[in-house]
Amino acid sequence: MSSTTRRARRALTTAGVGAAVALIPLAAHAATIVPIEYDAVGTSTIAKTGSDVGLGPTTLSTDLDVETGNFTGSLPLPGTRTNFKAAGLLPVQADVAFVEVAPVTGFINLSGDIASVDATATYNVELSNIKILGFPTFTGTKCQTTTPVTIPVGTEPGVGFDLTEGGRLVGEYTIGDFADCGANTGLINALVPGPGNTVEIDVSNGRFL
């Protein structure tokens, strides 16, 4: 049995699921998958506009391989609305949707005194219902990033992640160009795409399924 498996089993047992863990086969080369769900809510700050985009509340669903520490999962995000000023003057409003295009993948390191998490989520970013100075503009129904946006997140240095209580995940990502946004395509690509966008997600209330 690997040290990762032993630590995962101790963590799971501490979480009050020792009876269930005792039934998990521990063959050295067999993946041992434990489904865990979390509540998740957060914020992303778009660097070029200085605007905040609410993320969630939603559910993070994961399948953790306690033998390796690897996990896959899903973090669907409900649509939201953001406000910012173009060129610091013109008020702009837009509906924003992060549409999942690939499973969340990651790794939880249980080998140290403090568990740490690294994960990657991938979304298309869609914009709609854009208003400038309060007036509707034609954006169409297919305004989105030309390539999916990859968002890496992880625990902050020295801050742990608990399998049942969760923790905070932070990251920084780049937004690429948009297409199919009608007359707004040029304006959006001048205002939104670029690096340095940040994300913070609070994960809590872990539930073993």
Side-chain angles (χ1 to χ4, degrees):
M1 185 192 307
S2 71
S3 61
T4 299
T5 301
R6 288 193 293 269
R7 289 180 181 273
R9 283 172 60 83
R10 285 200 296 269
L12 293 169
T13 302
T14 301
V17 292
V21 173
L23 298 176
I24 297 175
L26 292 173
H29 300 289
T32 304
I33 306 300
V34 178
I36 313 174
E37 282 188 351
Y38 297 91
D39 297 331
V41 64
T43 302
S44 179
T45 299
I46 308 304
K48 288 178 71 171
T49 62
S51 57
D52 291 335
V53 178
L55 304 176
T58 185
T59 300
L60 169 62
S61 302
T62 65
D63 289 318
L64 171 64
D65 184 339
V66 297
E67 176 67 28
T68 65
N70 295 320
F71 64 86
T72 59
S74 176
L75 183 66
L77 294 173
T80 186
R81 192 154 179 81
T82 189
N83 301 273
F84 59 92
K85 290 186 177 180
L89 297 173
L90 301 177
V92 178
Q93 297 177 315
D95 290 341
V96 183
F98 286 79
V99 180
E100 246 183 332
V101 296
V104 175
T105 59
F107 173 72
I108 180 167
N109 185 355
L110 298 167
S111 63
D113 294 332
I114 299 177
S116 61
V117 171
D118 288 293
T120 301
T122 307
Y123 300 90
N124 281 329
V125 181
E126 299 181 353
L127 298 178
S128 61
N129 193 21
I130 297 174
K131 294 182 178 181
I132 301 175
L133 289 172
F135 295 98
T137 64
F138 178 74
T139 307
T141 59
K142 298 181 180 180
C143 177
Q144 67 177 27
T145 46
T146 57
T147 57
V149 174
T150 300
I151 305 178
V153 296
T155 45
E156 298 174 280
V159 180
F161 186 91
D162 188 276
L163 283 176
T164 54
E165 296 181 4
R168 172 166 288 192
L169 303 177
V170 300
E172 186 173 304
Y173 64 99
T174 296
I175 299 176
D177 285 343
F178 288 76
D180 300 319
C181 304
N184 291 317
T185 301
L187 176 63
I188 290 169
N189 283 333
L191 293 176
V192 178
N197 309 289
T198 59
V199 60
E200 294 183 356
I201 301 176
D202 290 314
V203 177
S204 62
N205 190 27
R207 304 175 292 278
F208 296 87
L209 305 180

